[in-house]
Amino acid sequence: MSVLHPELLVAGAAGSLPVHIVLKDGPLDGLGGAATAAWAGAHEFTGKTGQLLILPGPDGAVAGALFGAGESFDPNSARALAARLPAGLWRLEGVNGTEAEAAALAFALGGYRFDRYRARPGGERSQLVAPKGMDVAAALRIAAACALAREMVDTPAADMGPLQIETIAREIASESKATIAVTEGEALLEANYPAIHAVGRAASPARQPRIIEIGWNLDRTDLPLVALVGKGVVFDSGGLNIKGGAGMRNMKKDMGGAAHALALGRLVMQSKLPVRLVVLVAAVENAISADAFRPGDVLNSRKGLTIEIGNTDAEGRLILADALCRAGEHKPDLTLDFATLTGAARIALGPDLPPLYTEDDTLADELLEAGRAVHDPLWRMPLWSGYRASIDSELADVRNDSAAWAQAGSVTAALFLQRFAPETGVWAHMDIFAWNPRARPGWPEGGAAQAIRACHAMLARRYSAAR
Ligand code: BES
Ligand code: MN
Ligand code: ZN
């Protein structure tokens, strides 16, 4: 599972057709003479955002296109071009520099298709000539990372169980000569991952819970250590506190955090960033069986803190508790975790803007700034200490479902994780949605890669510049 579409973006090819980026009510006379202006007028092309007009040549063949940029060009809008332009080789005109490069990457992201389950895969793709001087290989690595995360999320739970996640992790590790260790099933108890075991033990024998740990460059103790942690709930039924039908419908995506951690980890290794890297993925199915963990149970955790189970549907924070604790044992300089942790995150910020939690203002600023620079936004949310008491338990050290009075479910889930996060270095948590619910050309409904590009840009800036 590599999901590279190198054909989408090509360097320096001849014989391409122009896509002219046109601002709202912008001039058209330079774009092929009076005929273009007349054709545009006849089609009421005004350059409003997303408007696309194909230009014919004298022989009736496609000669070019106009693409509306509205008041100012948003490079992400070029995703739609990959889906809407007729098949052929295209180049962007009227946009330069970093904007043109961002648009070219957006084009590659927009060309993603998930047709594995279709008898007849989609038709021919359009291709884009990369702007001069662009590092096409780097852009394709980034696009492939996003495609990997999306494809893993899009794949039904029946075909994306803990074993399949492990298989992908093994492929990623071997490609970069990284080490990989997997602890599975009853061995989780022996190895002291009690919370991961408890959440995942109800699954069928072929889908036993596991923790997957990739290590890269670990002997390079001169380099900073980055840990990436992901929630890999391959299907979240809610467990015994079962979800309703609507809430369960899309829960194949509940391994989105694991997909993001693996995709970003692969990207960090392929980009050869000067870091040591640990990727930790807890892969479990939150299933229902006689052996399922129960509301009212008290779980042990790797850290030694006991956890009272108020609701078995708050399972992500349980497996992350053990995985984050394990990350801390490597004494990381920086830890990032990704998790489809709460429905409340989507209520707070909607599907497109992932909440970012960190106590470290510098890391927050770096991530937000990187997100803006690469058009992959994040929004900072507070680890509000005033709500800490909402996860106090009468019975155990902490509880997994916060008291109703605190209400802010994404915040209280982050506060829970904070209890288990590494004590060395800085830590950030992203409560991602990993899903696009609104189908548009270039943004198909389905798995969404969120914050991978922002995190990669942040890591590249933080760790390459000084060296
Ligand atoms: N995986 C869900 C969170 C989720 C739901 C993410 C919908 C994206 C869309 C998580 O395991 C969960 O069920 N969280 C509960 C926690 C509650 C029981 C304290 C939630 O958010 O409702
Ligand atoms: Mn749940
Ligand atoms: Zn979940």
Side-chain angles (χ1 to χ4, degrees):
M1 169 152 330
S2 157
V3 226
L4 242 168
H5 299 298
E7 72 280 11
L8 285 172
L9 203 57
V10 297
S16 58
L17 299 171
V19 191
H20 301 282
I21 307 297
V22 181
L23 290 174
K24 178 108 175 54
D25 301 321
L28 296 172
D29 8 316
L31 311 178
T36 300
W39 181 258
H43 288 88
E44 293 177 21
F45 180 89
T46 58
K48 74 172 193 236
T49 306
Q51 213 181 359
L52 179 67
L53 181 66
I54 305 301
L55 303 175
D59 53 355
V62 175
L66 306 180
F67 187 57
E71 303 300 329
S72 76
F73 179 58
D74 173 4
N76 270 347
S77 69
R79 288 175 71 135
L81 290 173
R84 292 174 67 197
L85 283 174
L89 183 61
W90 297 86
R91 67 177 188 277
L92 296 176
E93 295 281 353
V95 53
N96 299 300
T98 54
E99 289 235 303
E101 297 194 359
L105 175 57
F107 183 95
L109 297 171
Y112 171 85
R113 280 184 206 157
F114 185 67
D115 44 24
R116 185 189 300 163
Y117 294 89
R118 292 199 183 277
R120 288 177 288 112
E124 221 185 308
R125 293 159 178 284
S126 55
Q127 294 175 279
L128 191 74
V129 178
K132 261 200 198 65
M134 183 178 184
D135 187 341
V136 176
L140 287 172
R141 284 196 297 267
I142 292 169
C146 295
L148 173 62
R150 291 164 75 182
E151 181 159 327
M152 289 178 72
V153 170
D154 281 333
T155 302
D159 295 334
M160 189 52 63
L163 176 61
Q164 283 83 5
I165 292 181
E166 175 184 334
T167 303
I168 291 165
R170 288 192 186 281
E171 235 179 78
I172 290 170
S174 90
E175 182 194 277
S176 291
K177 299 189 168 51
T179 58
I180 180 162
V182 179
T183 308
E184 180 191 338
E186 295 305 299
L188 286 166
L189 293 175
E190 188 69 29
N192 194 26
Y193 292 101
I196 294 173
H197 179 268
V199 173
R201 73 187 182 212
S204 76
R207 296 167 72 85
Q208 282 302 291
R210 65 206 69 198
I211 183 151
I212 302 161
E213 177 167 339
I214 294 175
W216 182 69
N217 262 354
L218 292 186
D219 53 343
R220 292 288 308 276
T221 48
D222 54 315
L223 299 177
L225 194 143
V226 173
L228 306 176
V229 180
K231 168 180 172 179
V233 175
V234 299
F235 188 74
D236 183 8
S237 69
L240 289 172
N241 287 62
I242 190 170
K243 288 182 184 295
M248 204 186 296
R249 175 63 180 85
N250 273 342
M251 280 300 120
K252 69 173 183 182
K253 79 173 171 94
D254 213 18
M255 34 56 70
H260 277 61
L262 287 168
L264 177 59
R266 184 175 79 172
L267 182 55
V268 165
M269 294 189 282
Q270 287 177 342
S271 323
K272 302 196 163 50
L273 292 190
V275 298
R276 285 177 286 159
L277 182 71
V278 171
V279 182
L280 280 158
V281 162
V284 306
E285 175 150 12
N286 192 15
I288 299 174
S289 81
D291 196 28
F293 75 125
R294 311 161 188 82
D297 282 356
V298 174
L299 307 188
N300 205 348
S301 71
R302 184 174 188 83
K303 194 169 181 184
L305 293 176
T306 57
I307 307 168
E308 182 185 9
I309 302 306
N311 191 323
T312 61
D313 200 6
E315 83 297 337
R317 64 197 76 184
L318 301 171
I319 64 173
L320 287 174
D322 279 359
L324 284 167
C325 175
R326 173 60 187 155
E329 292 163 18
H330 289 282
K331 308 229 176 308
D333 296 284
L334 188 154
T335 302
L336 302 174
D337 83 63
F338 303 87
T340 51
L341 200 62
T342 68
R346 169 197 49 175
I347 304 305
L349 297 180
D352 295 346
L353 196 51
L356 163 71
Y357 294 88
T358 178
E359 292 281 36
D360 191 85
D361 294 341
T362 306
L363 178 60
D365 291 345
E366 286 177 10
L367 274 168
L368 296 182
E369 171 50 30
R372 274 191 295 271
V374 301
H375 310 277
D376 187 21
L378 288 157
W379 201 264
R380 192 174 184 189
M381 298 261 281
L383 287 155
W384 189 253
S385 60
Y387 297 155
R388 269 186 203 150
S390 72
I391 53 171
D392 287 350
S393 162
E394 295 294 317
L395 193 60
D397 297 323
V398 62
R399 62 188 258 201
N400 80 328
D401 64 329
S402 54
W405 59 260
Q407 298 192 63
S410 179
V411 175
T412 54
L415 288 169
F416 181 98
L417 296 186
Q418 193 178 30
R419 300 285 298 267
F420 298 88
E423 276 153 31
T424 63
V426 291
W427 162 69
H429 156 61
M430 282 151 277
D431 194 343
I432 58 173
F433 195 57
W435 191 262
N436 171 31
R438 175 182 167 217
R440 287 160 287 158
W443 283 269
E445 182 179 348
Q450 300 183 313
I452 290 178
R453 290 180 294 120
C455 289
H456 179 250
M458 178 277 291
L459 291 171
R461 284 182 194 185
R462 181 176 256 243
Y463 294 123
S464 297
R467 261 151 243 276

